[in-house]
């Protein structure tokens, strides 16, 4: 018995169960040969498939994955989808990562619904698949999701829009226009739903009026997250719903590049700049906020999101289950995907100096 107790210190829990079941005559067998193989080589290939460089956060992510994976001892294979052939590009990049034997494939999806074949191939090859920033839908084979809390992003944007308008004009009703992101990005709906959870009660009470009456996400969408699409939609809204002296008090914009396009459109029409929200802390938008033009952005520090993803990869390498902090929010149509969500931070001129104090891309700022 004494020998048995000493041995349990070095044998696995699975082997211990086997020993208990089989009796003491198997004391010498640690059961290791039957244990499933766990983890993978410390210098394994890790694939990272990113979408087109539609905003600064994606440009940053690629470089951070290259350096972070290298520093952790892995071989990184970081690929971007091209600007015009994004879906096909990403599908073939992921297939190539599978062929090359990647142990983990991290995907920032170009189109949430068009990657299930590749995700299944990856899974069948033994790789773990992590959706990065954008969820991948319609597949039971996606393992993890790591992102900023997208619904919260939308809530913060909706609240910023209300706060900004109130600061300029204490009493409503306020006239607004609504924009959302690309329909193929799962985040777009989540951002919009988050924002509408705050704005809808004000719309229902009549305190906020959508000038064009376009409140359906199909009407508010911005294909490909392209600034020119947002600018031309804003041009038409101004022509159709804001004749003469009429002007919107606020515009819900889902990110910074669209916010700047909306501001360009309004200025082009000779109207005063409304309260415009954003997201991504893009350099030009932060400048605009400091100059009192764009009202808000969201700080989703890409360095933290990439670091969190690499932490997951390291856990998988060691054969551990990666830490998650959400097991209910992201149903991709086939499963609820275990997620690690980071908190987004709203930034206006009020807190920009503190928010970006340790961000070399943006700081130091002065008010
Ligand atoms: C989203 C992402 C946003 C923004 C947008 C456009 O999926 O969460 O931060 O970058 O894509 O690129």
């Amino acid at each position: 018995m004494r020998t048995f107790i000493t041995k349990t210190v070095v044998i696995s829990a699975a082997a211990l169960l086997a020993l208990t079941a089989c009796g003491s005559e198997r004391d010498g067998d640690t059961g290791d040969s039957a244990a499933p193989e766990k983890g993978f080589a410390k210098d394994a290939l890790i694939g990272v498939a990113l979408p087109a460089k539609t905003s600064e956060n994606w440009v940053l992510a690629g470089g951070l994955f290259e350096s972070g994976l290298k520093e952790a001892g892995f071989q990184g294979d970081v690929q971007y989808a091209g600007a015009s052939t994004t879906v096909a590009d990403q599908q073939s990049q992921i297939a190539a990562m599978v062929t090359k034997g990647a142990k983990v494939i991290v995907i920032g999806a170009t189109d949430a619904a068009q990657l299930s074949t590749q995700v299944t191939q990856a899974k069948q090859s033994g790789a773990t698949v992590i959706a990065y920033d954008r969820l991948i839908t319609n597949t039971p084979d996606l393992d993890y999701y790591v992102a900023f809390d997208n619904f919260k992003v939308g809530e913060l944007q909706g609240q910023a829009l209300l706060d900004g308008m109130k600061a300029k004009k204490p009493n409503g009703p306020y006239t607004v226009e609504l924009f959302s992101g690309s329909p193929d990005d799962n985040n777009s709906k989540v951002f919009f739903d988050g924002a509408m959870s705050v704005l809808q009660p004000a719309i229902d009470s009549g305190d906020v009026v959508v000038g064009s009456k376009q409140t359906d996400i199909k009407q508010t969408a911005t294909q490909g997250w392209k600034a020119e699409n947002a600018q031309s939609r804003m041009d038409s809204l101004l022509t159709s719903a804001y004749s003469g002296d009429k002007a919107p008090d606020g515009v819900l914009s889902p990110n910074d590049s669209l916010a700047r396009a909306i501001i360009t459109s309004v200025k082009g029409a000779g109207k005063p700049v409304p309260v415009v929200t954003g997201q991504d802390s893009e350099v030009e938008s932060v400048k605009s906020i400091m100059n009192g033009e764009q009202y808000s952005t969201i700080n989703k520090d890409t360095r933290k999101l990439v670091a969190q993803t690499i932490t997951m990869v390291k856990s998988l390498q060691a054969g551990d289950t990666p830490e998650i902090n959400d097991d209910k929010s992201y149903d991709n149509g086939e499963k609820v995907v275990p997620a690690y969500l980071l908190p987004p931070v709203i930034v206006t001129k009020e807190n920009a100096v503190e928010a970006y104090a340790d961000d070399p891309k943006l700081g130091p700022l002065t008010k």
Side-chain angles (χ1 to χ4, degrees), residues 174-342:
Y174 303 100
T175 307
V176 304
E177 290 302 333
L178 310 172
F179 282 72
S180 54
S182 192
D184 48 15
D185 175 355
N186 189 73
N187 285 355
S188 300
K189 181 168 166 25
V190 187
F191 296 149
F192 194 67
D193 287 349
M196 290 310 273
S197 73
V198 175
L199 297 175
Q200 195 63 54
I203 294 173
D204 292 344
S205 74
D207 201 32
V208 166
V209 177
V210 180
S212 65
K213 302 199 171 47
Q214 296 187 7
T215 54
D216 190 288
I217 194 162
K218 288 202 185 77
Q219 299 169 303
T220 61
T222 311
Q223 190 62 45
W225 286 101
K226 290 200 173 124
E228 63 261 34
N229 293 341
Q231 191 168 333
S232 62
R233 176 166 176 255
M234 192 67 204
D235 288 347
S236 353
L237 292 175
L238 290 172
T239 313
S240 58
Y242 298 90
S243 55
D245 281 351
K246 286 197 215 154
D249 295 303
V251 180
L252 174 77
S253 165
N255 85 353
D256 285 348
S257 53
L258 306 192
R260 298 196 303 278
I262 290 161
I263 292 172
T264 303
S265 166
V266 180
K267 282 177 154 180
K271 309 239 179 233
V273 175
V275 171
V276 183
T277 61
Q279 168 174 212
D280 292 338
S281 308
E282 296 206 342
V283 174
E284 286 308 312
S285 282
V286 174
K287 277 190 204 156
S288 171
I289 290 172
M290 298 319 278
N291 292 336
E293 235 169 33
Q294 186 175 324
Y295 179 71
S296 64
T297 185
I298 302 275
N299 191 12
K300 303 196 306 186
D301 192 331
T302 307
R303 295 170 299 175
K304 290 189 183 151
L305 196 59
V306 170
Q308 187 58 44
T309 312
I310 294 177
T311 299
M312 277 190 170
V313 174
K314 285 185 188 159
S315 302
L316 291 163
Q317 186 281 319
D320 297 334
T321 304
E323 188 188 348
I324 58 152
N325 62 8
D326 180 284
D327 61 1
K328 60 177 188 314
S329 306
Y330 286 95
D331 186 335
N332 79 345
E334 290 284 344
K335 73 187 275 195
V336 178
V337 185
Y340 196 102
L341 303 180
L342 295 172

Side-chain angles (χ1 to χ4, degrees), residues 14 23 66 81 84 106 114 124 136 150 156 169 197 206 210 212 216 237 256 261 286 298 354 361 366:
E66 296 266 8
S84 54
V106 175
Q114 305 239 32
Q124 282 167 353
I136 300 170
N150 299 305
L156 292 171
K169 186 173 105 175
S197 73
V210 180
S212 65
D216 190 288
L237 292 175
D256 285 348
V286 174
I298 302 275
E354 302 85 82
K361 182 185 89 164
T366 39

Side-chain angles (χ1 to χ4, degrees), residues 125-169:
S125 77
T128 300
V129 185
I130 302 176
Y132 170 88
D133 189 283
R134 300 173 174 178
L135 189 65
I136 300 170
T137 56
N138 304 331
T139 170
D141 294 323
L142 175 63
D143 295 291
Y144 297 102
Y145 180 41
V146 54
F148 281 89
D149 184 336
N150 299 305
F151 192 83
K152 184 81 193 163
V153 167
E155 286 179 324
L156 292 171
Q157 290 172 331
Q159 193 56 51
L161 184 63
L162 295 181
D163 293 348
M165 292 190 299
K166 206 167 176 50
K168 269 194 171 174
K169 186 173 105 175

